[in-house]
Amino acid sequence: MPGIGVWTAAQVGHRALGDADALPLGDFHLGRMTGTALLGRPLAQHEIEAFYLPWQPHRYRVVRLLELSPRAAPRRSHRAPRAGPVR
């Protein structure tokens, strides 16, 4: 379908259809989370698909286990300090 990309198709595949191999390529946090948890450094976008090949056909299951892992990098950065009261 026009307008449906790889990331969207993977999200629909694993959430609605239960596809255990739907790797969400293009996800902003995937390389950082995977690389930090398993390699100690973030993965570049072009390294992610090759890195997950050994876990095929269970790549989304590996992603989900890493999301639940205490070793995974946090998904959000620190918040900016709040502004003081307006005077």
Side-chain angles (χ1 to χ4, degrees):
M1 294 182 86
I4 303 295
V6 177
W7 181 85
T8 305
Q11 294 296 327
V12 170
H14 71 77
R15 292 178 195 267
L17 305 174
D19 185 3
D21 195 45
L23 185 63
L25 293 173
D27 189 276
F28 182 73
H29 304 285
L30 185 61
R32 184 169 166 249
M33 177 191 65
T34 301
T36 303
L38 299 177
L39 299 175
R41 66 168 178 86
L43 286 173
Q45 286 295 325
H46 66 276
E47 297 175 304
I48 294 172
E49 189 170 10
F51 183 81
Y52 274 96
L53 276 178
W55 289 294
Q56 199 170 12
H58 302 282
R59 295 180 296 179
Y60 180 71
R61 290 181 177 155
V62 174
V63 170
R64 187 66 184 132
L65 287 171
L66 287 174
E67 287 176 346
L68 298 172
S69 168
R71 293 186 61 190
R75 288 187 61 107
R76 293 178 177 82
S77 59
H78 298 289
R79 291 183 178 194
R82 292 187 175 201
V86 178
R87 294 181 194 236

